[in-house]
Every structure is written in structure tokens, then in C-alpha cells.
Amino acid sequence: MFITLEGPEGSGKTTAVEAAVKRLQELGYEIVRTREPGGTPISEQIRNVILDKANTAMDSRTEALLYAASRRQHLVEKVWPALKEGKIVICDRYVDSSLAYQGGARGLGIDEVLNVNLFATENTWPDLTLLFDIKPEIGLARISANADREVNRLDLEKLEFHNKVRESFLALAKRFPDRFVIIDASQDRESVAKDTMEAILSRLCK
Ligand code: TMP
């Protein structure tokens, strides 16, 4: 099973899934936790180029292609082998982030960015996508309150950009209702973790 976690900045998706991972491991499932961009040495190198605050000259299409390149390498080296071995892969961000950030917020077009990603992923889609929905004002305030979280090049975009990201994610959830579950990430931590666990367990039991 391939599960992806999506949402605007500061949605708390990484923390929210911790309890679910522990529970699934107790139940005997083998879990691979990973993230995009990154997750393998080559993909982490691409991540550094994409998110470097010094790279202010980066063109939007270059950005979309680098995310897709990082994704491809990560699929080949990590995701596909783990799925083949019957493991559950839980990945922070995937194609939907490219559709929302580059397609929607950067204005490249959802379907244009989708095409690049169909080439990169050979049509590999998650079984479940958890969308941690939160107003950007709240998410960005969380980031700035968290001293451990490094601020990256995309965090520095204006509020209008982050609003477009959120709207695009919500539109994607409507477009792909079979795999999307929306989680209200503005709730307290325990409630978000509980909703996350329920969404994963109910999909596993399907
Ligand atoms: P992270 O903060 O969740 O590690 O994600 C890194 C940043 O990259 C975040 O601002 C979202 C952005 N991003 C895209 O713009 N497109 C993508 O395809 C992915 C995977 C992430």
C-alpha cells in the first residue's frame, strides 16, 4: 500500500502520522517512512538545489522538472522496491504537491504538470492520499514558531501563493475522490492523529 501525505506548509502532516506508524508496526506491518523531494542520496541532492534560498533565479518549469526528477529517482530506488516487498510506504508529499504548487500556485497548469509527472512516475498513484487541510495563515505561523523547522525557498512566497496551494489541493481532492481523504489539520494534535489513524486503518481493512 502506498500512502501519501499532502498539505500546505505547517499542516503538521509529519507529526500526525507518527502514532499511526507505531500502531501499524505493532499490528505487524512493515512500514517505510520517506519524503519528497528527497528520500535517497540523489533525490536529497536535488532537494538541496530546489529549496536553496539562494536560488532566487530558478524558473518555474525548471522547478517542476527538478521535483519530477527527484520523484523518479526516489520511486526507482526506494518506493517501488518496498512496495514489491509488500511493505507499506508512507511518503510526505508526492505528485499532488507538484500539481498544487507548480501547477496551481506557480500557474504552470495542473494538466501540464500532470503530464510531466506521468512520464516521471509511469502512472504510479497512491492508494490513499491524506490531505492535511489548514489555512495558510495558521500553518505559516506554526512554522515561524518552530525553531527546529528550517525556512525554505517556497516558505518565503507570499500569502497569496500559499492560498492558491491550498485551493489547488482542495480542487484535487474533489477531482480524485477515490484516493483523497481530507483531515482538518487545524484541530488539536490528538484529534488530527486520531483522524489520521482512522483513515489509514479503514483503507487497510477495505
Ligand atoms: P516539505 O517542507 O514538506 O519538506 O516540502 C518541501 C517544499 O517543497 C514545500 O514547500 C512544498 C514544496 N514542493 C513543491 O513545491 N512541489 C513538489 O512536488 C513537492 C514534493 C514539494
Side-chain angles (χ1 to χ4, degrees), residues 18-31 197 201:
E18 277 168 14
V21 169
K22 227 174 134 207
R23 181 80 190 107
L24 291 170
Q25 284 168 335
E26 284 163 7
L27 291 170
Y29 291 101
E30 274 195 79
I31 312 287
M197 180 100 77
L201 288 179

Side-chain angles (χ1 to χ4, degrees), residues 65-165:
L65 290 165
L66 286 173
Y67 277 116
S70 161
R71 177 162 303 130
R72 168 80 195 172
Q73 190 65 29
H74 181 242
L75 277 173
V76 170
E77 281 196 77
K78 198 160 181 181
V79 178
W80 284 336
L83 293 174
K84 219 178 224 171
E85 288 168 11
K87 295 175 182 161
I88 296 179
V89 177
I90 304 182
C91 184
D92 275 39
R93 301 195 181 280
Y94 188 61
V95 172
D96 298 300
S97 275
S98 282
L99 301 181
Y101 282 81
Q102 284 68 52
R106 289 269 189 246
L108 293 179
I110 303 285
D111 289 309
E112 283 76 358
V113 177
L114 181 58
N115 278 335
V116 171
N117 278 278
L118 289 178
F119 173 73
T121 66
E122 295 179 65
N123 227 345
T124 300
W125 290 100
D127 301 293
L128 174 65
T129 299
L130 299 176
L131 172 57
F132 293 85
D133 181 47
I134 193 157
K135 278 190 183 155
E137 290 92 330
I138 305 176
L140 293 171
R142 280 184 184 172
I143 291 178
S144 50
N146 179 357
D148 296 334
R149 162 71 155 79
E150 206 191 320
V151 174
N152 69 46
R153 193 170 57 82
L154 277 92
D155 297 334
L156 297 174
E157 289 290 339
K158 296 197 178 71
L159 188 59
E160 191 194 341
F161 177 89
H162 294 289
N163 277 322
K164 281 191 199 155
V165 169

